[in-house]
Each structure stands twice: as C-alpha cells, then as structure tokens.
Amino acid sequence: MAILPILRYPDPRLRVKAQPVARVDAAVRRLLDDMLETMYEAPGVGLAAPQVNVPRRLIVIDVSKERNDPLFLVNPEILEREGSIRLEEGCLSVPGIYEPVERAERIRFRALDREGRPYEREAQGLLAVCVQHEVDHLDGRLFVDYLSELKRQRIRKKMEKLRLRTL
Ligand code: ZN
C-alpha cells in the first residue's frame, strides 16, 4: 500500500467530472487500498479518487471511532434524499477549514463494493453527509461551493498562502 499525494483547493483537477469504473479489477482494488491508507494517515473520514488525481468514480469512507469499518463505493449513485441536516464539514483538499453545510439528513445509495458486488444501503447523519460530500467530489464539486462568495475568496487566499509556505 502507498500514501498518495492529495490535491489541494483551488487545484483545477479537483473540478474534473470523474468517469465510471468499467470493472473492479486488481488495479482498482489496489487504488482503493491506497486511498484508504491515505485517508487514515491524513487523517480523514472520506476520500474520493479525484482528490488523488485519479478522475474515476471511486470513494473510501470510514466514520467509525475505531477506524476499522471501511466502506468502499465504486460508481455510487444516490437514489433518495430526505430531511436536512447542517454539520460542520472539512475536506482533505481544503486543510484547516471547517464550515457548516446543509445536506440531506437521510439518503439511500447504491454502489459496487471492493469486490465489484452491487449493494444498496441507507445512511443518516454523519455517514449520509460524508457520502454526499464525496459524491460531490466525483462531479467536481467541493463543499466550499455551498459557502458565500466572500467566504470562498477568503479560503482561496488562505490556501494560496499555505501553498507558498509548503513549496
Ligand atoms: Zn472533500
């Protein structure tokens, strides 16, 4: 397994619409495992392939306290959204920034797992928010897009400074 570099906002590669995966083969499984390791190491609760510069519809999530309950979403699709919830969100591509975003509180989604088997499940609260946040990444959308223009500009400036410091 390997730790992959994570793209940072406002990198334009985070805006690319990711393509579906045709087959879950060994290469896809290796990438999912690398993404999981990268997410645990960061540390974060979710990571989408475009964040590691792979424009494919792949997501890893683990919202468990023990960090031992990984969820793999290949070609995910949100089927139903219900209610609303406002949680403070962060993103590994926008480090150090946490802002409340309104999302559906309960969702039903389907995806393929790490073996390529289809599954369908319901999620609520943090997991529901996390799935919506990560699926947004696959469509080139970031949580900062839900904030005001002014807030987004401030975050952009902060990220540019951070980038200069870490170069
Ligand atoms: Zn994110």
Side-chain angles (χ1 to χ4, degrees), residues 46 51 90-93 133-134 137 142-143:
Q51 292 180 274
C91 179
L92 293 177
S93 294
H133 175 119
E134 302 307 332
H137 274 300
L142 301 172
F143 87 104

Side-chain angles (χ1 to χ4, degrees), residues 92-107:
L92 293 177
S93 294
V94 196
I97 305 290
Y98 300 90
E99 292 285 347
V101 173
E102 191 157 335
R103 308 259 189 196
E105 191 191 2
R106 289 175 299 282
I107 60 164

Side-chain angles (χ1 to χ4, degrees), residues 60-72:
V60 295
I61 288 175
D62 190 343
V63 295
S64 72
K65 274 206 177 66
E66 298 77 21
R67 317 283 284 156
N68 60 2
D69 189 18
L71 189 59
F72 299 95

Side-chain angles (χ1 to χ4, degrees), residues 52 56 67 113:
V52 292
R56 312 296 296 277
R67 317 283 284 156
D113 67 13

Side-chain angles (χ1 to χ4, degrees), residues 38 53 112 116 125 128 152:
T38 302
N53 198 22
L112 305 178
R152 202 163 42 246

Side-chain angles (χ1 to χ4, degrees), residues 9 152-162:
Y9 177 74
R152 202 163 42 246
Q153 272 176 18
R154 274 196 208 130
I155 292 169
R156 216 186 154 96
K157 270 190 202 135
K158 227 183 244 180
M159 291 300 117
E160 304 277 4
K161 266 189 216 154
L162 193 65

Side-chain angles (χ1 to χ4, degrees), residues 23-63:
R23 205 164 63 89
V24 181
D25 55 15
V28 168
R29 269 191 286 279
R30 192 173 326 118
L31 177 59
L32 285 168
D33 292 342
D34 287 347
M35 285 170 59
L36 191 67
E37 195 183 5
T38 302
M39 180 193 80
Y40 282 142
E41 201 263 349
V45 294
L47 186 70
Q51 292 180 274
V52 292
N53 198 22
V54 178
R56 312 296 296 277
R57 303 188 82 79
L58 299 168
I59 289 168
V60 295
I61 288 175
D62 190 343
V63 295

